[in-house]
Amino acid sequence: MFQLEHPWLLLVLPLPLLVWWLLPPYGERTRAIRVPFFDELARITGQTPSRGAVILRGNGLRRILAPLCWALAVLALASPQWLEPPVERTESARDLLLAIDLSGSMATPDFVDDRAERIDRLTAVKSVVDDFIRRRSTDRIGLIVFGTNAFPQTSLTLDHVAVRDLLQELRVGMAGPQTAIGDAIGMAVKMTERSQQRERVLILLTDGNDTASRLPAEKAAAIAREHHIVIHTIGIGDPEAVGENRVDLDALKRIAAATGGRSYRGENRQQLADIYALLDRITPSKVKHSVYRPKVKLYYVPLGVALLVMLAYHLLMLGLVGPIRQRRTATADVASGATEA
């Protein structure tokens, strides 16, 4: 669609007419040479002198082209443009972080797969989380792994294929044998501190208690709350175990409650799948839609046409005036010769 960005500038179109109507004609006094034999000179040349101003006369072509060039220049000033069809842009309105425990206890083979075969905890988690990521098509997703230390496996991204590929690369113990829940929460805060999204969610899964964090888990949860991060926790370990292998469900509940999240307990693969399905429902995908229309500036078209018209006019005048002057000079020379004869 064609439109003018500054259509109000077309109001200056009648400006030359107003100038011609309201302002007096331009006049200029010039010095002249007094010729004592002026009358004799006029008689010899056959011209009749008259009193008055010298008025320069134009031609019909210039009277047509001058307003045309003015109109084209004003049109260029009004900035004509062509609007392309609307383009809709869809952006994520939420940052979703998945923190997965890779401590040594995640190798415990106490889960059962679809074929009723025993698998370790991490293998069960990866299959469930992979399906969860596949359903979150509009969220920016980041992956955090933690053991003795916490690391970002992937930054926040909409490239979910890359996130799923890197999820499958996870191995037990690659982040250390212990469990650092507080550091994992701190890593989530660090990964989202420059994010423009107001809504941020961390889903933290662990099968042990916090034994290696430099930042206490509950203190980290308080910091996460200040950064508008909601934490949902999932405990899949044995609460009756001792030492590193005991999952502290009460601590996970306190972490979730401190940020307005929920805490869950998963004892088998089906419960784990149900938990992630529930989280998928209570954290529905959010997107921002923005519509814009690309603009193609066209001001150079009328401006270029005006310049070409002016150039063509002056070239035409040069081509016509030259021969006319030559003919006048030849005529004057003939008349001068006849007078002398």
Side-chain angles (χ1 to χ4, degrees), residues 8-150:
W8 56 270
L9 288 173
L10 296 180
L11 295 175
V12 304
L13 275 174
L15 184 61
L17 290 176
L18 295 176
V19 171
W20 175 78
W21 181 43
L22 297 175
L23 297 182
Y26 172 75
E28 182 180 353
R29 291 179 176 273
T30 59
R31 293 184 177 184
I33 300 176
R34 291 181 61 87
V35 181
F37 47 88
F38 180 77
D39 292 336
E40 184 68 19
L41 184 63
R43 183 182 64 78
I44 292 173
T45 58
Q47 297 182 5
T48 303
S50 61
R51 297 180 179 275
V54 176
I55 301 177
L56 298 177
R57 298 186 179 276
N59 55 64
L61 184 59
R62 187 169 64 182
R63 292 191 182 95
I64 296 173
L65 296 183
L68 175 62
C69 291
W70 170 253
L72 290 171
V74 173
L75 180 61
L77 193 62
S79 188
Q81 57 189 7
W82 179 261
L83 292 181
E84 299 286 347
V87 176
E88 183 176 2
R89 177 181 296 169
T90 302
E91 299 176 351
S92 172
R94 175 190 286 124
D95 287 339
L96 180 61
L97 289 164
L98 305 175
I100 299 176
D101 187 354
L102 296 182
S103 61
S105 56
M106 288 293 287
T108 306
D110 55 357
F111 276 68
V112 178
D113 63 12
D114 295 335
R115 296 175 295 181
E117 296 180 358
R118 284 197 167 272
I119 56 175
D120 60 72
R121 294 173 181 175
L122 180 59
T123 301
V125 168
K126 288 197 292 186
S127 65
V128 173
V129 172
D130 182 83
D131 185 63
F132 178 78
I133 295 173
R134 183 178 52 81
R135 294 196 299 267
R136 310 296 297 193
S137 59
T138 59
D139 285 332
R140 286 204 315 165
I141 295 179
L143 188 59
I144 298 172
V145 297
F146 64 97
T148 305
N149 298 288

Side-chain angles (χ1 to χ4, degrees), residues 253-293:
K253 289 179 181 178
R254 290 194 297 271
I255 291 171
T259 62
R262 302 185 185 184
S263 184
Y264 302 93
R265 167 92 166 96
E267 297 182 355
N268 54 58
R269 186 182 181 281
Q270 185 57 49
Q271 285 186 359
L272 192 59
D274 292 342
I275 291 170
Y276 275 97
L278 177 61
L279 289 171
D280 185 49
R281 291 195 298 272
I282 68 175
T283 56
S285 298
K286 288 189 175 183
V287 295
K288 294 185 296 184
H289 298 280
S290 58
V291 179
Y292 73 99
R293 301 190 69 172

